[in-house]
């Protein structure tokens, strides 16, 4: 699932714009750069420098002073206010069977209601649990791009009725069809994950808000504005998607087959951005994985390479609050950057991954961001990435903060999942 739906066309336009605009800083914010030698110097905000100029030296100072301050900066400048009101948890088991995948798994479909009175506002959660394990199991949670039916061809999986991107396989007039079933099985190696003793939980992010500039009109930013006591313009689509992950977590804590203390949250591309914001906002998630989340996620915004603040807010204005767009021509004035977002995950295990063929997401910027976030992890005595240089392809580096770059394109592959499973085996078992 590419972050930019027409990368070839837009890249050509941006390359032409670069020739015309030259090298001034305002032009840099508008165009994409893929030449490492043209990356100008930049200065990152220090995540350990407090508002009064003093340096954070203890984890207590981080937790009580610095982390809340940085978190508020992200609310104000990028994602918007995170709702603090949570309606009482209501859900219904729509369908379940212990004979899924030839008897190897239990399939469970759960409808999680988001409004205290209106049953038309909900998230549909699809779960697979390994039958061979009889005690509560850890779980990988993540959104999918086209509806729950895309991760398996199983005809029993509910077909989403919500708006989907036309670029999704099997979508016709922004509606999913039966031909979309199993279209993303390569991104969700269900049996591989189950074989390691983990459950899988996934939901369609469009259940919360359709992924288009007008999505807020029918999404939870409007339907729940009175319930949550927050107006649509006070937060963003990214915030709505992150909020939905927290509501799924509410359910997982009530499911007796799930070890809710061991929930690994994984997101790819734009959903990686949402996963990072959810992980920063909800400390119940035990492990966070960013798979090629790029600009607005794990990649450094102040580093002029690949997608920029200007580009992403022009193409996807609904993803962030309006203030983020104002930094498009002055990214140096942005008081936050990705390493600070990653630092909000500390001290929980964090995995950041890139792909060599996905320069749009700025792999080096993602690595440098993860490396810099390790300074905060050090406050907790946790080992970070112990190299200043990007590791070779397919050679992960780091301990509590871990990073890899693999060969291939913007995608989630079996190799990625194998690394995440190994990481979770060490951190969650």
């Amino acid at each position: 699932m590419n972050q930019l739906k027409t990368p070839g066309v837009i890249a050509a336009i941006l390359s032409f714009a670069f020739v015309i605009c030259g090298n001034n800083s305002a032009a840099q914010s508008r165009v994409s750069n893929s030449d490492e030698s043209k990356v100008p110097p930049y200065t990152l905000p220090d995540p350990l420098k407090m508002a009064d100029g003093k340096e954070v030296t203890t984890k207590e100072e981080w937790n009580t002073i610095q982390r809340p301050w940085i978190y508020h900066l992200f609310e104000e400048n990028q994602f918007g206010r995170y709702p603090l009101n949570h309606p009482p948890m209501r859900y219904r088991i729509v369908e379940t069977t212990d004979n899924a995948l030839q008897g190897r798994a239990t399939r469970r479909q759960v409808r999680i209601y988001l409004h205290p009175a209106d049953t038309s506002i909900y998230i549909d959660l699809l779960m697979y649990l390994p039958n061979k394990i009889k005690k509560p199991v850890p779980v990988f949670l993540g959104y999918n791009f086209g509806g729950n039916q895309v991760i398996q061809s199983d005809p029993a999986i509910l077909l989403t009725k919500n708006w989907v991107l036309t670029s999704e396989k099997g979508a016709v007039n922004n509606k999913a069809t039966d031909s979309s079933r199993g279209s993303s099985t390569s991104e969700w190696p269900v049996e591989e994950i189950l074989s390691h003793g983990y459950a899988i939980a996934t939901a369609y992010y469009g259940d919360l808000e359709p992924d288009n500039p007008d999505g807020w009109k029918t999404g939870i930013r409007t339907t729940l504005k009175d319930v949550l006591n927050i107006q649509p313009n006070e937060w963003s689509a990214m915030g709505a998607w992150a909020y939905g992950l927290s509501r799924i977590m509410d359910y997982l804590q009530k499911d007796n087959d799930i070890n809710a203390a061991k929930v690994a949250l994984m997101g790819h591309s734009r959903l990686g951005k949402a996963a990072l914001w959810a992980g920063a906002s909800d400390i119940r998630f035990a492990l966070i994985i960013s798979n090629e989340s790029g600009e607005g996620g794990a990649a450094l915004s102040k580093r002029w390479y690949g997608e920029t603040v200007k580009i992403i807010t022009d193409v996807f204005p609904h993803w962030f609050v309006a203030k983020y767009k104002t930094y498009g021509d002055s990214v140096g004035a942005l008081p936050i950057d990705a390493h600070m977002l990653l630092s909000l995950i500390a001290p929980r295990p964090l995995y950041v991954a890139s792909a060599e063929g996905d320069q749009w997401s700025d792999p080096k910027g993602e690595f440098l961001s993860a490396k810099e976030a390790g300074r905060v992890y050090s406050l907790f005595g946790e080992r970070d990435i112990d190299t200043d240089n990007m590791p070779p392809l397919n050679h992960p580096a780091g301990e509590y903060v871990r990073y890899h770059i693999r060969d291939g394109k913007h995608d989630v592959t079996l190799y990625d999942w194998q690394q995440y499973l190994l990481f979770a085996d060490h951190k969650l078992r």
Side-chain angles (χ1 to χ4, degrees):
M1 179 72 176
N2 290 330
Q3 288 178 286
L4 210 55
K5 290 299 174 182
T6 54
V9 173
I10 291 180
I13 294 172
L14 296 176
S15 297
F16 176 73
F18 177 71
V19 173
I20 300 252
C21 296
N23 247 336
N24 65 76
S25 59
Q28 287 173 0
S29 69
R30 293 185 177 91
V31 301
S32 174
N33 170 45
S34 58
D35 185 341
E36 195 64 39
S37 69
K38 293 180 180 178
V39 176
Y42 57 90
T43 301
L44 294 178
D46 187 345
L48 296 180
K49 186 176 181 179
M50 292 188 280
D52 63 3
K54 295 179 181 179
E55 183 174 350
V56 177
T57 58
T58 67
K59 61 184 180 182
E60 289 77 19
E61 287 180 328
W62 171 260
N63 284 332
T64 61
I65 302 172
Q66 187 71 347
R67 188 186 188 280
W69 179 62
I70 290 177
Y71 182 83
H72 174 68
L73 289 177
F74 276 95
E75 284 191 303
E76 182 180 4
N77 293 283
Q78 185 170 346
F79 296 112
R81 185 162 66 87
Y82 199 78
L84 298 179
N85 292 349
H86 300 158
M89 164 56 55
R90 295 193 304 138
Y91 66 89
R92 177 169 66 91
I93 305 298
V94 177
E95 183 268 348
T96 188
T97 177
D98 61 3
N99 196 36
L101 304 176
Q102 293 76 50
R104 290 188 291 274
T106 292
R107 182 186 63 240
R108 185 170 299 155
Q109 299 187 75
V110 185
R111 182 156 291 177
I112 302 170
Y113 297 105
L114 301 173
H115 193 284
D118 189 343
T119 57
S120 69
I121 305 169
Y122 57 80
I123 309 170
D124 275 339
L125 183 68
L126 170 66
M127 302 174 66
Y128 284 95
L129 301 96
N131 282 341
K132 67 178 182 179
I133 301 176
K134 302 305 179 184
K135 61 182 180 180
V137 293
V139 59
F140 276 91
L141 166 64
Y143 281 135
N144 59 71
F145 284 98
N148 294 341
Q149 78 285 341
V150 303
I151 80 162
Q152 286 281 292
S153 56
D154 189 339
I157 298 175
L158 298 176
L159 185 73
T160 184
K161 297 179 180 179
N162 287 320
W163 187 98
V164 297
L165 292 163
T166 53
S167 57
E168 287 301 308
K169 296 177 183 176
V172 177
N173 296 325
N174 297 114
K175 292 293 183 182
T177 68
D178 280 322
S179 63
S180 67
R181 294 187 181 278
S183 60
S184 295
T185 53
S186 63
E187 296 179 14
W188 291 91
V190 172
E191 297 199 34
E192 176 85 9
I193 299 168
L194 292 172
S195 71
H196 283 254
Y198 296 92
I200 300 158
T202 187
Y204 173 47
Y205 76 127
D207 283 357
L208 285 304
E209 179 170 317
D211 191 358
N212 64 69
D214 290 327
W216 65 272
K217 296 178 181 178
T218 56
I220 65 167
R221 283 194 283 160
T222 290
T223 59
L224 295 183
K225 63 184 177 66
D226 295 330
V227 173
L228 302 179
N229 192 28
I230 182 172
Q231 295 302 306
N233 65 342
E234 292 185 84
W235 53 326
S236 60
M238 213 54 79
W241 300 329
Y243 176 82
L245 291 167
S246 286
R247 303 293 66 77
I248 294 172
M249 184 67 180
D250 291 343
Y251 165 76
L252 293 175
Q253 289 186 311
K254 292 182 177 294
D255 192 317
N256 293 330
D257 293 324
I258 295 296
N259 185 339
K262 297 182 177 181
V263 178
L265 179 58
M266 194 282 286
H268 168 58
S269 192
R270 67 195 65 187
L271 302 184
K273 307 181 210 300
L276 288 172
W277 184 231
S281 302
D282 192 335
I283 62 173
R284 294 177 297 173
F285 295 113
L287 183 152
I288 313 296
I289 300 165
S290 159
N291 192 89
E292 301 160 35
S293 61
E295 171 60 49
L300 294 173
S301 295
K302 289 180 171 57
R303 197 183 113 85
W304 183 50
Y305 194 99
E307 193 170 27
T308 66
V309 173
K310 175 67 174 178
I311 294 169
I312 200 170
T313 55
D314 280 350
V315 180
F316 304 109
H318 54 294
W319 286 3
F320 309 102
V321 288
K323 191 170 182 179
Y324 195 54
K325 186 178 179 67
T326 67
Y327 295 105
D329 291 325
S330 56
V331 72
L334 185 65
I336 51 175
D337 213 324
H339 65 300
M340 298 167 76
L341 177 59
L342 299 185
S343 74
L344 295 175
I345 306 300
R348 292 163 292 161
L350 169 67
Y351 204 125
V352 175
S354 309
E356 183 184 32
D358 181 23
Q359 294 300 307
W360 189 249
S361 294
D362 186 12
K364 186 173 181 179
E366 293 187 313
F367 167 76
L368 292 172
S369 179
K371 171 68 177 176
E372 185 68 13
R375 295 176 57 212
V376 175
Y377 278 78
S378 296
L379 293 174
F380 295 86
E382 304 295 359
R383 292 180 60 191
D384 60 355
I385 300 173
D386 55 2
T387 176
D388 292 329
N389 301 311
M390 285 188 70
L393 291 178
N394 308 316
H395 284 78
E399 180 60 32
Y400 244 74
V401 180
R402 195 159 175 82
Y403 174 87
H404 78 244
I405 179 170
R406 58 159 174 80
D407 53 7
K409 61 181 183 177
H410 187 72
D411 200 357
V412 187
T413 69
L414 179 60
Y415 175 82
D416 295 319
W417 274 107
Q418 288 170 338
Q419 308 320 305
Y420 304 152
L421 288 164
L422 183 62
F423 188 56
D425 285 345
H426 282 92
K427 304 304 177 189
L428 297 184
R429 295 300 191 181

